[in-house]
Amino acid sequence: MKISIDYDGTLWSHMAFFRCFMLAMKSAGHRVGILTGHNDTPEARASDIGLMLSRGFPQPDFWFGRTAEYVNGNGSIYKSVIILREGIDIHFDDCDYGNPESLRLFQEHLGNQFYRLIRVQDRQPASVHYE
């Protein structure tokens, strides 16, 4: 399987779970990576992955950050495109901290593939990273 995890609001809201989950899935032969709304620049990617590694997460098998043509839109549109294009089987996401519009856009753009999205409840404040 190919599994992706959103960075903010998902990975950082449930670090202990996703750390164990990533390790278990990777050891079982699955590909696990990050699909985030962060802008995808080499510097931002290196910084984000570096933070993950410093907190005991394994190296992600892939990384998809939002590209320039999607920067001004809702991240759910970009993520839906990547889920379908890259054949991601399961994507964990907080849907922009529970934004109903983000969830609606996932539904609209994933269509009959909406089952690929697993909605995760974020924790507040979002500036705190939770074990």
Side-chain angles (χ1 to χ4, degrees), residues 9 13-14 94 96-98 121-130:
S13 284
H14 307 281
D94 68 303
D96 195 21
Y97 302 100
Q121 180 63 50
D122 65 284
R123 292 182 182 178
Q124 294 295 323
S127 59
V128 175
H129 295 178
Y130 298 89

Side-chain angles (χ1 to χ4, degrees), residues 15 25 34 43 45 48 50 53 64 71 81 91-92 102 110 113 124:
M15 289 194 304
M25 293 297 100
I34 300 296
E43 299 81 20
R45 183 186 295 201
D48 288 343
L53 297 176
F64 295 107
V71 167
V81 166
H91 174 64
F92 292 89
S102 295
L110 289 175
Q113 302 293 302
Q124 294 295 323

